Amino acid sequence: MRFTLSVCLLALPWAASAQSPLTEAEAVRLGLARADFADLERGALQAAEADVLAAGLFPNPTLNYNRDGIQGAPDSLEQTWMLAQTFDISGRRGLHREAASRRVAAERAGNAARRLEMAAHIRRSFHEALFRQETVRATASWAQRCARVEGLVGRLARAGEASGYDRRRLARERQTAEARLAAERAELDRALARLAALAGVPDLPRLEGELLPSAPVPLETAWARLDQRPDLQALWRRAEAADLAGRAARRGGIPDVTVGIGPKYVDNGGARDQGIALSLSVPLPVFDRQQAGQARAAAEALQARAEYRLEKRRAEGELRGLYRQAEALRRTAADYRSRAVAASPDLLRIAEAAYQGGESSLLELLDAYRGALESEITALDLEKRARDARIEYDLLSGSPE
């Protein structure tokens, strides 16, 4: 009866979901298309654009009314209406407006950096769930083999061709497999729930994709486009905005001029006269010449450029290490799967044939099954680590994928 064993062991069905499988690209698209994420980006940008509007507005004009009487001469009265407007003759308003525009550009770059971070977060969650899905598949295969062998050995035991110990040992192996499978399914459920929350969908179908990544872009290419990374662009735009604010502050010695004009009425009791009143007001920049504004702007520009240089140098070093790690893990994972995992079917056939022929024990057959499972889990783990390194490399180089 043992000749039927090998026929029953290798058929491992995988039920496909009725829904279309979810790919990494679709998960990222769904996550970045969420209304809340769009509102977050729009809110940050609109706040910066409001600062541009505020910086470009003229100050409001003022309307003054003055009424003067002369003591001892109750019939004498002077009334003046004055409309005054302050004018910027130094060009500070234009510089402040340009600085605010650079902050808008910095906010746009910040939004782009936020999108890259979110895309990387979704990609990590997707491949974590994919890893768990494939682990469940491999563990289910092991549990199914144990259950089928248990049934066959039970029949052999009743026919006197297998010992009661073999039957009880298989029952324990099946229970272990089922417990491990339940634990892996719980991990998968958690990973899917996390991915569903990031993608903004209530239910997720079966995932479809490859854990093993393709080769990363060459290191020289990644270095060359570091300057285009959104977070570095945001720092550079903030430095430019600070430079413009400093230029505006350096013109603090040129005061704004307030000009007023309006009618004036004079009543001397018997005679009434009227004319035009003019006023000119210029503050004297004796004490406050925007020294604090100049110092603050210089400090902000210095800080932003220092952060830019530090982050760029850190990224250059990190990219070198991540490139080596991603390539080494990718080659190791591919080599392991092509050698160790590819050999599992042959090893299983040999183990089954030896058991059928009475040349090996049940424990040796179970060891072969466990070895096949561990080989598959090791391959999946290597591929997952290679994928994680690739995602970090893409994020650090400013590439969406």
Side-chain angles (χ1 to χ4, degrees), residues 289-312:
R289 294 189 297 277
Q290 294 292 307
Q291 301 95 321
Q294 294 179 48
R296 174 175 290 277
E300 289 177 352
L302 180 66
Q303 180 183 8
R305 288 195 169 91
E307 287 181 9
Y308 177 92
R309 292 191 298 270
L310 286 171
E311 179 58 27
K312 186 176 179 181

mmCIF file of all heavy atoms in Angstrom, residues 289-312:
data_model
loop_
_atom_site.group_PDB
_atom_site.id
_atom_site.type_symbol
_atom_site.label_atom_id
_atom_site.label_comp_id
_atom_site.label_asym_id
_atom_site.label_seq_id
_atom_site.Cartn_x
_atom_site.Cartn_y
_atom_site.Cartn_z
ATOM 1 N N ARG A 289 17.089 99.059 12.770
ATOM 2 C CA ARG A 289 17.359 98.982 11.332
ATOM 3 C C ARG A 289 17.304 97.519 10.880
ATOM 4 O O ARG A 289 18.049 97.089 10.009
ATOM 5 C CB ARG A 289 18.725 99.591 11.019
ATOM 6 C CG ARG A 289 18.802 101.095 11.282
ATOM 7 C CD ARG A 289 20.090 101.687 10.767
ATOM 8 N NE ARG A 289 21.246 101.149 11.447
ATOM 9 C CZ ARG A 289 21.707 101.589 12.624
ATOM 10 N NH1 ARG A 289 21.085 102.593 13.230
ATOM 11 N NH2 ARG A 289 22.762 101.041 13.182
ATOM 12 N N GLN A 290 16.419 96.759 11.529
ATOM 13 C CA GLN A 290 16.208 95.339 11.208
ATOM 14 C C GLN A 290 17.451 94.490 11.441
ATOM 15 O O GLN A 290 17.719 93.524 10.718
ATOM 16 C CB GLN A 290 15.736 95.179 9.760
ATOM 17 C CG GLN A 290 14.365 95.765 9.473
ATOM 18 C CD GLN A 290 13.259 95.005 10.180
ATOM 19 O OE1 GLN A 290 13.160 93.795 10.060
ATOM 20 N NE2 GLN A 290 12.448 95.729 10.934
ATOM 21 N N GLN A 291 18.240 94.861 12.490
ATOM 22 C CA GLN A 291 19.423 94.051 12.801
ATOM 23 C C GLN A 291 19.039 92.627 13.198
ATOM 24 O O GLN A 291 19.693 91.658 12.787
ATOM 25 C CB GLN A 291 20.228 94.712 13.941
ATOM 26 C CG GLN A 291 20.716 96.129 13.646
ATOM 27 C CD GLN A 291 19.762 97.178 14.186
ATOM 28 O OE1 GLN A 291 18.547 97.012 14.115
ATOM 29 N NE2 GLN A 291 20.315 98.267 14.706
ATOM 30 N N ALA A 292 17.970 92.511 13.979
ATOM 31 C CA ALA A 292 17.548 91.182 14.418
ATOM 32 C C ALA A 292 17.064 90.344 13.238
ATOM 33 O O ALA A 292 17.338 89.135 13.155
ATOM 34 C CB ALA A 292 16.440 91.299 15.469
ATOM 35 N N GLY A 293 16.347 90.977 12.313
ATOM 36 C CA GLY A 293 15.877 90.258 11.134
ATOM 37 C C GLY A 293 17.023 89.765 10.279
ATOM 38 O O GLY A 293 16.979 88.646 9.744
ATOM 39 N N GLN A 294 18.060 90.589 10.139
ATOM 40 C CA GLN A 294 19.224 90.151 9.366
ATOM 41 C C GLN A 294 19.905 88.958 10.019
ATOM 42 O O GLN A 294 20.269 87.979 9.346
ATOM 43 C CB GLN A 294 20.232 91.307 9.263
ATOM 44 C CG GLN A 294 19.736 92.503 8.465
ATOM 45 C CD GLN A 294 20.769 93.612 8.427
ATOM 46 O OE1 GLN A 294 21.942 93.383 8.141
ATOM 47 N NE2 GLN A 294 20.332 94.827 8.723
ATOM 48 N N ALA A 295 20.073 89.034 11.349
ATOM 49 C CA ALA A 295 20.742 87.942 12.055
ATOM 50 C C ALA A 295 19.921 86.657 11.975
ATOM 51 O O ALA A 295 20.467 85.563 11.765
ATOM 52 C CB ALA A 295 20.980 88.339 13.513
ATOM 53 N N ARG A 296 18.598 86.771 12.136
ATOM 54 C CA ARG A 296 17.749 85.584 12.074
ATOM 55 C C ARG A 296 17.789 84.967 10.683
ATOM 56 O O ARG A 296 17.897 83.739 10.536
ATOM 57 C CB ARG A 296 16.305 85.936 12.454
ATOM 58 C CG ARG A 296 15.328 84.780 12.264
ATOM 59 C CD ARG A 296 13.946 85.150 12.757
ATOM 60 N NE ARG A 296 13.938 85.246 14.196
ATOM 61 C CZ ARG A 296 13.813 84.212 15.013
ATOM 62 N NH1 ARG A 296 13.731 82.978 14.517
ATOM 63 N NH2 ARG A 296 13.793 84.371 16.309
ATOM 64 N N ALA A 297 17.682 85.790 9.640
ATOM 65 C CA ALA A 297 17.701 85.266 8.271
ATOM 66 C C ALA A 297 19.027 84.583 7.961
ATOM 67 O O ALA A 297 19.068 83.511 7.350
ATOM 68 C CB ALA A 297 17.433 86.392 7.285
ATOM 69 N N ALA A 298 20.123 85.191 8.398
ATOM 70 C CA ALA A 298 21.438 84.580 8.154
ATOM 71 C C ALA A 298 21.552 83.241 8.875
ATOM 72 O O ALA A 298 22.097 82.265 8.326
ATOM 73 C CB ALA A 298 22.543 85.530 8.616
ATOM 74 N N ALA A 299 21.028 83.189 10.102
ATOM 75 C CA ALA A 299 21.089 81.938 10.856
ATOM 76 C C ALA A 299 20.232 80.854 10.204
ATOM 77 O O ALA A 299 20.637 79.689 10.136
ATOM 78 C CB ALA A 299 20.628 82.177 12.297
ATOM 79 N N GLU A 300 19.038 81.218 9.721
ATOM 80 C CA GLU A 300 18.168 80.236 9.076
ATOM 81 C C GLU A 300 18.792 79.709 7.792
ATOM 82 O O GLU A 300 18.715 78.505 7.504
ATOM 83 C CB GLU A 300 16.806 80.862 8.794
ATOM 84 C CG GLU A 300 15.969 81.107 10.048
ATOM 85 C CD GLU A 300 14.657 81.795 9.742
ATOM 86 O OE1 GLU A 300 14.468 82.220 8.567
ATOM 87 O OE2 GLU A 300 13.826 81.929 10.658
ATOM 88 N N ALA A 301 19.410 80.605 7.008
ATOM 89 C CA ALA A 301 20.068 80.161 5.778
ATOM 90 C C ALA A 301 21.250 79.248 6.095
ATOM 91 O O ALA A 301 21.464 78.219 5.442
ATOM 92 C CB ALA A 301 20.540 81.368 4.972
ATOM 93 N N LEU A 302 22.029 79.617 7.117
ATOM 94 C CA LEU A 302 23.174 78.792 7.519
ATOM 95 C C LEU A 302 22.714 77.415 7.963
ATOM 96 O O LEU A 302 23.297 76.389 7.589
ATOM 97 C CB LEU A 302 23.922 79.502 8.649
ATOM 98 C CG LEU A 302 25.166 78.786 9.198
ATOM 99 C CD1 LEU A 302 26.253 78.712 8.126
ATOM 100 C CD2 LEU A 302 25.679 79.494 10.443
ATOM 101 N N GLN A 303 21.653 77.370 8.753
ATOM 102 C CA GLN A 303 21.141 76.089 9.250
ATOM 103 C C GLN A 303 20.632 75.215 8.114
ATOM 104 O O GLN A 303 20.923 74.015 8.059
ATOM 105 C CB GLN A 303 20.028 76.340 10.262
ATOM 106 C CG GLN A 303 19.428 75.069 10.836
ATOM 107 C CD GLN A 303 18.276 75.348 11.779
ATOM 108 O OE1 GLN A 303 17.828 76.470 11.907
ATOM 109 N NE2 GLN A 303 17.798 74.314 12.444
ATOM 110 N N ALA A 304 19.846 75.811 7.200
ATOM 111 C CA ALA A 304 19.273 75.028 6.099
ATOM 112 C C ALA A 304 20.368 74.462 5.201
ATOM 113 O O ALA A 304 20.300 73.289 4.790
ATOM 114 C CB ALA A 304 18.316 75.896 5.286
ATOM 115 N N ARG A 305 21.374 75.247 4.903
ATOM 116 C CA ARG A 305 22.450 74.756 4.028
ATOM 117 C C ARG A 305 23.306 73.709 4.738
ATOM 118 O O ARG A 305 23.784 72.756 4.102
ATOM 119 C CB ARG A 305 23.308 75.925 3.547
ATOM 120 C CG ARG A 305 22.602 76.795 2.520
ATOM 121 C CD ARG A 305 23.554 77.735 1.781
ATOM 122 N NE ARG A 305 22.857 78.337 0.658
ATOM 123 C CZ ARG A 305 22.197 79.488 0.714
ATOM 124 N NH1 ARG A 305 22.145 80.160 1.856
ATOM 125 N NH2 ARG A 305 21.583 79.965 -0.353
ATOM 126 N N ALA A 306 23.504 73.893 6.041
ATOM 127 C CA ALA A 306 24.258 72.880 6.782
ATOM 128 C C ALA A 306 23.485 71.564 6.808
ATOM 129 O O ALA A 306 24.077 70.485 6.620
ATOM 130 C CB ALA A 306 24.525 73.373 8.202
ATOM 131 N N GLU A 307 22.171 71.621 7.030
ATOM 132 C CA GLU A 307 21.350 70.407 7.008
ATOM 133 C C GLU A 307 21.395 69.758 5.622
ATOM 134 O O GLU A 307 21.444 68.530 5.509
ATOM 135 C CB GLU A 307 19.908 70.743 7.382
ATOM 136 C CG GLU A 307 19.709 71.060 8.857
ATOM 137 C CD GLU A 307 18.262 71.356 9.171
ATOM 138 O OE1 GLU A 307 17.397 71.144 8.289
ATOM 139 O OE2 GLU A 307 17.981 71.805 10.293
ATOM 140 N N TYR A 308 21.374 70.589 4.591
ATOM 141 C CA TYR A 308 21.445 70.061 3.222
ATOM 142 C C TYR A 308 22.747 69.289 3.010
ATOM 143 O O TYR A 308 22.738 68.150 2.522
ATOM 144 C CB TYR A 308 21.348 71.233 2.243
ATOM 145 C CG TYR A 308 21.479 70.852 0.787
ATOM 146 C CD1 TYR A 308 20.362 70.560 0.019
ATOM 147 C CD2 TYR A 308 22.732 70.787 0.175
ATOM 148 C CE1 TYR A 308 20.481 70.204 -1.316
ATOM 149 C CE2 TYR A 308 22.866 70.434 -1.151
ATOM 150 C CZ TYR A 308 21.736 70.147 -1.900
ATOM 151 O OH TYR A 308 21.874 69.793 -3.212
ATOM 152 N N ARG A 309 23.878 69.899 3.395
ATOM 153 C CA ARG A 309 25.169 69.239 3.179
ATOM 154 C C ARG A 309 25.295 67.961 4.016
ATOM 155 O O ARG A 309 25.772 66.936 3.528
ATOM 156 C CB ARG A 309 26.310 70.207 3.505
ATOM 157 C CG ARG A 309 26.433 71.375 2.544
ATOM 158 C CD ARG A 309 27.736 72.127 2.763
ATOM 159 N NE ARG A 309 27.812 72.688 4.105
ATOM 160 C CZ ARG A 309 27.374 73.898 4.449
ATOM 161 N NH1 ARG A 309 26.809 74.680 3.535
ATOM 162 N NH2 ARG A 309 27.499 74.340 5.676
ATOM 163 N N LEU A 310 24.866 68.048 5.270
ATOM 164 C CA LEU A 310 24.969 66.869 6.136
ATOM 165 C C LEU A 310 24.110 65.719 5.609
ATOM 166 O O LEU A 310 24.553 64.560 5.580
ATOM 167 C CB LEU A 310 24.537 67.240 7.556
ATOM 168 C CG LEU A 310 25.524 68.097 8.361
ATOM 169 C CD1 LEU A 310 24.877 68.569 9.653
ATOM 170 C CD2 LEU A 310 26.805 67.314 8.660
ATOM 171 N N GLU A 311 22.891 66.034 5.212
ATOM 172 C CA GLU A 311 21.995 64.985 4.726
ATOM 173 C C GLU A 311 22.494 64.406 3.415
ATOM 174 O O GLU A 311 22.414 63.189 3.197
ATOM 175 C CB GLU A 311 20.585 65.557 4.553
ATOM 176 C CG GLU A 311 19.559 64.570 4.019
ATOM 177 C CD GLU A 311 19.402 63.337 4.881
ATOM 178 O OE1 GLU A 311 19.654 63.419 6.100
ATOM 179 O OE2 GLU A 311 19.032 62.265 4.333
ATOM 180 N N LYS A 312 23.042 65.252 2.562
ATOM 181 C CA LYS A 312 23.542 64.748 1.278
ATOM 182 C C LYS A 312 24.745 63.829 1.486
ATOM 183 O O LYS A 312 24.838 62.757 0.865
ATOM 184 C CB LYS A 312 23.916 65.909 0.364
ATOM 185 C CG LYS A 312 24.317 65.461 -1.036
ATOM 186 C CD LYS A 312 24.592 66.635 -1.951
ATOM 187 C CE LYS A 312 25.020 66.153 -3.334
ATOM 188 N NZ LYS A 312 25.323 67.281 -4.247
#
